[in-house]
Amino acid sequence: MEGFELDRSALDISDVYFEHYQPADTVGVGDTRPRLSWKFSPAPPGFQQEGYQIDIYEEIPGSTKLICSTKGTRLRQGLGKGLVTTWSRPAFLETGLLSREDWKCKRVTVPWHEDPETPHPEHLYRKEFASSNSVTRARLYITAQGVYEAEVNGKRVGDQFLAPGWTAYDGRLQYQAYDVTHLLADTGLNCIGVRLAEGWFSGHLAPGLFGFPRNIWGAQNTLMAQLKIHYANGSEDTIVTDATWQTAPGPIRLAEIYRGEKYDTAFEVDGWSSVGRAGSQSEWHFAKVLEDLPSSVDLIAQRGEPVRRQTVIQPQAIITTPSGKVVLDFGQNLVGYTRVKRVRGPKGRCISLAHVEVLENGEIGQRPLRLADQLDQYTLRGEDIDESWEPRFTYHGFRYVQVDGWPGDDPQALRERIEAVTCSTDMKLIGEFTCSDVLLNKLHENVIRSMRGNFLSVPTDCPQRDERLGWTGDITLFGPTAAYLSDCYGMLSRWLGDVAIDQQALGGVPAWVTPNVLKGLKMFNGGIPTAVWDDVVIILPWTLYRATGDPGVLSAQYPSMLLWLKSLPRNTVQNSRLWRPDGMQWGDWLDPDAPPALAWRAKADPDFVANAFLIRSLELMTVISSILNEPGDARAFEEELEACKQEFHKEYVTANGRLVSDSQTAYSLFIVFGLYQDEEQKSRAGQRLAQLVIDNLYKIGTGFAGTPFVCEALAQTGFCSVAAKMLLNHECPSWLYQVKMGATTMWERWDSMLADGSINPGEMTSFNHYAFGSVATFLHERVAGLQCLEAGWRRSRFAPSPSDFQPLTTASTAHLSPFGSGWLVGAVLHVSVTVPAMTEMDVVLPDDGESRTETVRSGEWSFTVPYKIAATGEPKLGFWQSLISTRGTRT
Ligand code: BGC
């Protein structure tokens, strides 16, 4: 490498990434100008990259040719001068079908009539074809309106679950590309088979409240597939779906996202995806060719990680319920399905598996599922052989499974015969937290489990009842936590594209849920503007940008941001730029004091919450438009921001800084969103918030909107120790109440399960909702002490403050790096940090009652300083609260 001294150091280049693709997902991508990124390991202290060299090879079957070698200009002078890294391992990328013209296949469906009002069995498709020469490369491009699994010569293609994934189907349909070279026979006959079920496209979806609709995007499930084969002699073949493909109903008699899967072996077609063995020919019909997919629907390559099966979990206990039912307990609430292994029994025997999250009075608690049965059924072949089965086209949220119809009478035998399989979008975990408090650690595990389970193709609210929808508010609030814990940029930036499509269809107002399952309902024509939920179009792209430093998501979503702010209904009656006050708002959804059936009845005024979020969004727009180099927009947003702030103050803030909505949520938003006019106001707001928390006996008083901010607001105003007491509180409502009650995922309500073990009587009671898990950000940023100061973590800050978090003695967190940052306190404070290459960290250390900041660059650093746990000043309980809290105690 010219210009570098050839001192090949121990410095390695690793994790070479194209865009945000995981290495396993780089066949058939849609980007034609992908950006590259890489990591250095181990980066020497203060290392700076000065230049780079990238060699690009074209891989032609049988050979590899260097087509270009590019050298990066010197980026900046730095301490790493003179070091040359070793070469990285080669990274591979292949583009897919980039335009509609590349699609040569027909869109096919079944030729028989199906009643659109009732669920129908899966469709099997097959096509035999000959390969004319030795196969050197074969790619299958495939998508469906429905959900599919493909096989070639009887073998499964790829490992995706519920492909092609869930998008705003009116606007775009994702396709997958698979390398199937190894599955094809070298010369001779081959067979491709595809099973196709209803999935999100046409199965029952949306809450029962809205009529339990079907066929939201269409009543017909269709398939498009194209297999491109390259031969050793240089020739090519393309096998495409057309009228020569055959189709038949398959053994999956029902497959719906909510209801579950029913598989009857009596309908199996032996060898359906293998050459010459497809049962009786009379069962097969030629596929019907439909008109091409409308041009309004984009065919896009897979973006973000697909959904995959993740882990296998064995039952932890076999329970016999008071009514004599056999129930398996998997020991944790999870998202996926159960797999039946090596069962023997009489032909026609039906095994039923009913999945639930909790038990009530010792029996399975199905009420919270509403119209989602979560019931899988398998009907045995019964030929005196071991049978194994797992569903393909459904998933459930569950910890317990009631098994009915199992052949044999020893329930304990089920331990070896049934296991759970977890499924989720296959994103990498990149964040950790641990501390000396076991319950806090459990809480953090629960947050991760809820995030994993609810990231299933789209960010869903819950995985069990008749919802599982991309509710926008939930991810707006949980986004920062998710982006710290997981590499979710790919999945969420793709989903934001779907949000923009649904928003366009509603004339500018984002849908409540994307993909918009409510689009057919009259009351939603034109959308119903709602703060916080709709702010997703601005806040979530910002969150992803902050976490990664990648402005791509900002420019892609900018039109959607502008459109939303244009559509937001203002208070024109009072000639104000604030929200129109007579609209519908979700407000501080699920305030702990809201009655079970009235989730919107919060202590915080919903209009206050709406306007606080409007101001937050406008402030972000001033920054985003500057980053995107739109100075005119930036100026206009600054002006609007100032006007809104003034109107907000007139409406909601007294001269001395009291808020008209005297609630934990209102003060939290006021502080964290910087809505105060001066430091004095901020400090008074902090005092009042601390008083409210203390008078509430350190119990939480916030719903969805306030929860991510309440502890942070206390910390920002000098009441970190109050936040800590709230965090460590076990009384309901609190984060640890649910942990104490045995929760293994985050609950939707503070009291989803009441202290007596009964399920909250509200209609809406999930045990797996991530919104209240947004508090994990406080664990990372304040309890452990690691904060991002500049987008993409170019600058960070580590500021431990053990005095505030008594009685914790250790806390540590990691983001991306396996080492991370942590503290341990005794008579001295030990601080250790690992700073990634080319970034800087401010380490804030206590110093004789004050603090001093050490700025360090890449490398591992540790500090030991004398430390005395200090007392923390807090307001005292108010008169009545103190009377109530001491009632019954005599001194
Ligand atoms: C969902 C929420 C969602 C809400 C709308 C609920 O049914 O589960 O998480 O955000 O509706 O407020």
Side-chain angles (χ1 to χ4, degrees):
M1 286 158 85
E2 212 182 308
F4 293 91
E5 281 171 41
L6 278 182
D7 167 14
R8 291 206 179 265
S9 68
L11 196 61
D12 279 336
I13 298 274
S14 63
D15 293 2
V16 177
Y17 270 61
F18 293 101
E19 291 291 325
H20 295 266
Y21 293 107
Q22 303 280 356
D25 302 322
T26 54
V27 172
V29 305
D31 297 275
T32 50
R33 305 182 63 193
R35 293 163 305 168
L36 274 172
S37 62
W38 53 84
K39 275 200 220 141
F40 304 93
S41 54
F47 171 82
Q48 293 287 324
Q49 174 180 286
E50 288 185 344
Y52 57 85
Q53 179 175 347
I54 300 166
D55 285 359
I56 304 171
Y57 296 84
E58 186 178 8
E59 207 190 74
I60 308 157
S63 75
T64 314
K65 189 172 97 192
L66 180 68
I67 52 171
C68 141
S69 179
T70 166
K71 287 191 179 117
T73 46
R74 282 172 184 259
L75 298 178
R76 51 182 163 172
Q77 291 295 332
L79 293 169
K81 202 169 174 197
L83 290 179
V84 177
T85 69
T86 54
W87 278 100
S88 72
R89 299 219 331 245
F92 178 85
L93 179 95
E94 185 179 298
T95 52
L97 303 183
L98 297 175
S99 73
R100 213 23 119 65
E101 289 71 59
D102 295 336
W103 285 88
K104 307 290 178 211
C105 61
K106 302 281 180 214
R107 188 166 67 111
V108 297
T109 189
V110 296
W112 58 85
H113 172 76
E114 280 171 332
D115 176 4
E117 296 314 315
T118 51
H120 56 73
E122 67 171 334
H123 303 149
L124 302 179
Y125 287 85
R126 74 189 307 273
K127 167 80 183 173
E128 290 190 10
F129 59 95
S131 29
S132 57
N133 199 277
S134 174
V135 177
T136 51
R137 175 192 287 183
R139 300 285 187 262
L140 174 63
Y141 304 96
I142 179 169
T143 188
Q145 291 174 307
V147 283
Y148 74 84
E149 271 194 17
E151 296 184 6
V152 169
N153 294 329
K155 297 226 169 62
R156 178 77 213 280
V157 173
D159 57 0
Q160 295 204 12
F161 184 63
L162 297 177
W166 197 10
T167 50
Y169 291 133
D170 287 330
R172 58 189 190 170
L173 185 60
Q174 218 171 219
Y175 72 87
Q176 284 74 38
Y178 301 101
D179 180 356
V180 292
T181 319
H182 58 292
L183 297 177
L184 288 179
D186 260 357
T187 65
L189 275 184
N190 292 287
C191 181
I192 176 168
V194 182
R195 355 175 58 115
L196 177 58
E198 300 188 271
W200 296 287
F201 189 80
S202 57
H204 278 111
L205 220 54
L209 183 69
F210 297 115
F212 208 39
R214 284 179 50 75
N215 309 319
I216 291 168
W217 289 275
Q220 268 175 328
N221 296 119
T222 73
L223 172 68
M224 290 171 67
Q226 180 161 321
L227 174 60
K228 178 95 191 224
I229 309 172
H230 299 259
Y231 298 111
N233 64 1
S235 63
E236 297 173 2
D237 254 344
T238 307
I239 313 297
V240 294
T241 39
D242 59 19
T244 67
W245 282 52
Q246 291 179 300
T247 178
I252 299 178
R253 307 311 288 169
L254 176 141
E256 283 200 318
I257 300 291
Y258 292 166
R259 290 202 172 161
E261 192 159 316
K262 321 260 176 281
Y263 187 101
D264 188 344
T265 51
F267 292 86
E268 278 179 338
V269 186
D270 276 348
W272 68 279
S273 64
S274 301
V275 174
R277 294 175 44 217
S280 110
Q281 286 301 314
S282 62
E283 289 164 14
W284 293 92
H285 306 265
F286 284 108
K288 179 171 155 192
V289 171
L290 297 172
E291 71 285 5
D292 287 348
L293 201 64
S295 55
S296 52
V297 182
D298 266 350
L299 275 170
I300 59 162
Q302 172 85 43
R303 285 197 195 152
E305 298 73 35
V307 181
R308 292 196 173 98
R309 294 160 182 87
Q310 302 290 326
T311 50
V312 175
I313 295 169
Q314 306 302 327
Q316 304 298 302
I318 315 278
I319 302 165
T320 302
T321 71
S323 69
K325 296 288 187 188
V326 176
V327 171
L328 308 185
D329 175 3
F330 286 92
Q332 59 176 265
N333 202 20
L334 59 97
V335 177
Y337 59 81
T338 41
R339 176 187 280 160
V340 174
K341 298 184 298 181
R342 302 184 310 280
V343 57
R344 279 186 189 212
K347 181 178 170 61
R349 165 73 73 109
C350 177
I351 299 171
S352 290
L353 304 162
H355 301 75
V356 299
E357 295 193 302
V358 288
L359 300 180
E360 191 174 34
N361 302 322
E363 305 287 345
I364 56 171
Q366 287 178 306
R367 182 178 57 81
L369 305 178
R370 303 198 306 218
L371 294 179
D373 298 343
Q374 301 212 114
L375 179 68
D376 293 343
Q377 290 182 329
Y378 177 72
T379 305
L380 271 74
R381 237 171 260 135
E383 285 153 8
D384 218 19
I385 45 155
D386 285 347
E387 298 179 43
S388 296
W389 172 79
E390 62 193 294
R392 294 181 167 86
F393 298 127
T394 191
Y395 75 92
H396 315 300
F398 66 101
R399 168 173 171 166
Y400 301 95
V401 179
Q402 178 173 304
V403 185
D404 288 297
W406 189 265
D409 44 20
D410 175 14
Q412 292 308 320
L414 289 174
R415 217 179 260 279
E416 315 275 273
R417 296 285 179 264
I418 297 186
E419 62 193 13
V421 179
T422 65
C423 303
S424 85
T425 291
D426 196 13
M427 37 186 212
K428 242 178 35 188
L429 277 189
I430 54 171
E432 286 170 19
F433 169 84
T434 176
C435 69
S436 53
D437 187 286
V438 180
L439 293 182
L440 270 192
N441 291 344
K442 281 209 170 126
L443 175 76
H444 195 264
E445 279 167 28
N446 294 356
V447 174
I448 293 186
R449 210 173 276 125
S450 280
M451 174 185 70
R452 271 231 173 269
N454 277 303
F455 276 20
L456 202 137
S457 196
V458 305
T460 64
D461 57 333
C462 59
Q464 73 301 83
R465 66 168 177 243
D466 54 351
E467 295 216 42
R468 315 175 185 202
L469 306 174
W471 277 100
T472 48
D474 305 41
I475 191 63
T476 304
L477 299 163
F478 184 68
T481 312
Y484 184 91
L485 292 173
S486 70
D487 183 5
C488 54
Y489 185 100
M491 172 201 175
L492 292 181
S493 57
R494 193 274 286 159
W495 177 75
L496 278 167
D498 296 299
V499 170
I501 289 172
D502 284 339
Q503 179 193 4
Q504 284 277 356
L506 291 176
V509 176
W512 282 350
V513 293
T514 279
N516 189 7
V517 298
L518 306 174
K519 73 190 175 92
L521 300 174
K522 248 209 179 121
M523 67 182 283
F524 293 103
N525 282 347
I528 300 180
T530 4
V532 189
W533 274 248
D534 292 343
D535 289 303
V536 72
V537 301
I538 295 166
I539 295 180
L540 189 57
W542 173 255
T543 300
L544 297 177
Y545 165 71
R546 274 290 291 180
T548 60
D550 184 347
V553 66
L554 298 182
S555 41
Q557 297 307 125
Y558 195 59
S560 148
M561 302 177 192
L562 297 179
L563 184 60
W564 162 232
L565 287 175
K566 240 191 234 154
S567 319
L568 194 153
R570 312 295 175 124
N571 187 356
T572 43
V573 177
Q574 282 168 323
N575 203 16
S576 149
R577 302 213 207 179
L578 295 181
W579 269 85
R580 198 181 73 193
D582 56 352
M584 179 276 159
Q585 295 292 351
W586 298 110
D588 193 22
W589 188 246
L590 285 171
D591 178 304
D593 296 336
L598 307 174
W600 60 89
R601 255 216 214 143
K603 293 183 281 297
D605 170 6
D607 289 332
F608 179 102
V609 172
N611 287 313
F613 272 84
L614 168 60
I615 293 174
R616 170 70 180 151
S617 284
L618 286 171
E619 186 170 23
L620 292 181
M621 288 307 286
T622 63
V623 186
I624 293 170
S625 45
S626 306
I627 294 172
L628 297 179
N629 208 9
E630 298 286 353
D633 288 359
R635 263 194 308 280
F637 284 124
E638 262 157 38
E639 209 179 283
E640 194 175 353
L641 172 66
E642 277 321 302
C644 280
K645 266 189 169 174
Q646 277 179 26
E647 285 164 16
F648 182 89
H649 271 263
K650 266 207 262 167
E651 193 72 25
Y652 301 111
V653 190
T654 68
N656 283 343
R658 277 279 190 135
L659 304 181
V660 296
S661 184
D662 193 37
S663 58
Q664 289 188 19
T665 290
Y667 285 102
S668 302
L669 300 179
F670 185 73
I671 294 165
V672 177
F673 291 173
L675 307 181
Y676 43 82
Q677 278 162 328
D678 50 42
E679 286 303 306
E680 172 66 20
Q681 248 181 24
K682 177 183 178 186
S683 144
R684 290 182 67 113
Q687 287 276 346
R688 180 66 195 147
L689 174 60
Q691 190 69 58
L692 287 175
V693 171
I694 290 168
D695 286 352
N696 204 32
L697 306 179
Y698 298 97
K699 285 190 278 191
I700 189 84
T702 55
F704 272 30
T707 297
F709 309 106
V710 61
C711 290
E712 177 60 21
L714 288 165
Q716 283 186 16
T717 47
F719 297 104
C720 212
S721 60
V722 176
K725 285 190 188 137
M726 182 153 67
L727 189 64
L728 294 167
N729 196 348
H730 297 170
E731 298 293 312
C732 187
S734 70
W735 286 282
L736 295 188
Y737 163 74
Q738 48 183 277
V739 178
K740 280 270 224 192
M741 289 290 286
T744 54
T745 41
M746 294 304 300
W747 293 353
E748 176 176 29
R749 293 173 182 269
W750 293 111
D751 56 353
S752 281
M753 180 159 284
L754 307 182
D756 63 4
S758 59
I759 300 170
N760 186 301
E763 257 279 286
M764 211 188 53
T765 303
S766 139
F767 292 86
N768 202 350
H769 248 69
Y770 48 58
F772 291 153
S774 53
V775 70
T777 295
F778 186 76
L779 300 183
H780 310 142
E781 294 186 345
R782 295 285 182 174
V783 177
L786 181 62
Q787 293 159 12
C788 168
L789 294 184
E790 224 178 77
W793 292 85
R794 281 185 202 107
R795 286 194 58 236
S796 59
R797 177 172 188 261
F798 186 61
S801 59
S803 285
D804 290 325
F805 295 102
Q806 300 167 46
L808 301 191
T809 50
T810 66
S812 69
T813 187
H815 179 70
L816 267 179
S817 139
F819 306 105
S821 312
W823 56 263
L824 184 150
V825 71
V828 291
L829 173 69
H830 293 287
V831 172
S832 59
V833 296
T834 302
V835 185
M838 299 196 295
T839 69
E840 261 180 25
M841 181 186 275
D842 290 346
V843 182
V844 184
L845 298 164
D847 189 6
D848 211 8
E850 301 284 303
S851 66
R852 72 184 155 96
T853 302
E854 299 267 354
T855 301
V856 292
R857 290 193 176 175
S858 61
E860 289 176 35
W861 308 88
S862 59
F863 306 86
T864 300
V865 289
Y867 195 77
K868 240 208 255 145
I869 294 281
T872 48
E874 289 171 15
K876 299 212 167 358
L877 262 186
F879 176 79
W880 289 108
Q881 283 77 8
S882 104
L883 192 69
I884 295 165
S885 73
T886 53
R887 206 171 33 180
T889 47
R890 276 168 200 270
T891 46

